[in-house]
Amino acid sequence: MHSVTYSMGVSLDGYIVGPDGGFDWTPPDEEVFRFATDEVREAGVHLLGRRLYESMLYWETVDRNPSLGFSTSEFAAVWKALPKVVFSTTLSAVQGNARLASGGLAEEIERLRAEPGDGNIAIGGATLAAEAAALGLIDEYRARVYPVLVGGGIPFFPQHERRVDLELVGTHTFSSRVVYLRYRVAR
């Protein structure tokens, strides 16, 4: 069965973007970027909300820039090849190796879990992840914690009124002082 994983960069005080909507404090250095690329490589499909999908469209064409470094080109190639499912009520079409979700989040995840093959079901975007968490569908939380306090914004962890026990399954501290935390939901 495919695990559903939620992974993003997060401030130490728990936000994926600050109160102004910015996330300029999360540009990864080379080491963190390679790590994130490997994490995306583990995914069999990526579920995205509209806002994250639109932000990630950059990676559909960036490889046309001949001055890119190897890591950027590598991530672009991995990202472009990865199948994506976009959840949106406002988009009528998507680009690249993506399709619009044909059902609700629970139905899509159930269908994807039943499909043969390797790889996790990665989920991105706080709103979509919050919906998945409220439905009890997230199996792992993966946070790249940046050494900054932003004071508010969009929280990494969904705000719902139920306890979720977690088991620590991995950590890594990068030379840039970013700390990776990987937790599995205790079931």
Side-chain angles (χ1 to χ4, degrees), residues 87-111:
F87 291 81
S88 174
T89 57
T90 58
L91 295 175
S92 58
V94 291
Q95 302 173 33
N97 193 10
R99 68 172 174 83
L100 286 168
S102 57
L105 182 59
E107 294 82 16
E108 286 284 348
I109 288 176
E110 183 179 327
R111 187 182 63 70

Side-chain angles (χ1 to χ4, degrees), residues 80-161:
K80 281 176 67 169
L82 180 64
K84 297 164 216 52
V85 179
V86 180
F87 291 81
S88 174
T89 57
T90 58
L91 295 175
S92 58
V94 291
Q95 302 173 33
N97 193 10
R99 68 172 174 83
L100 286 168
S102 57
L105 182 59
E107 294 82 16
E108 286 284 348
I109 288 176
E110 183 179 327
R111 187 182 63 70
L112 291 166
R113 282 189 200 249
E115 287 182 357
D118 296 326
N120 300 320
I121 300 169
I123 191 164
T127 303
L128 193 61
E131 183 181 344
L135 295 169
L137 298 173
I138 295 180
D139 299 304
E140 285 190 13
Y141 290 89
R142 300 174 178 185
R144 288 180 306 279
V145 182
Y146 285 78
V148 61
L149 302 172
V150 297
I154 298 174
F156 172 81
F157 291 103
Q159 306 298 305
H160 51 76
E161 296 180 11

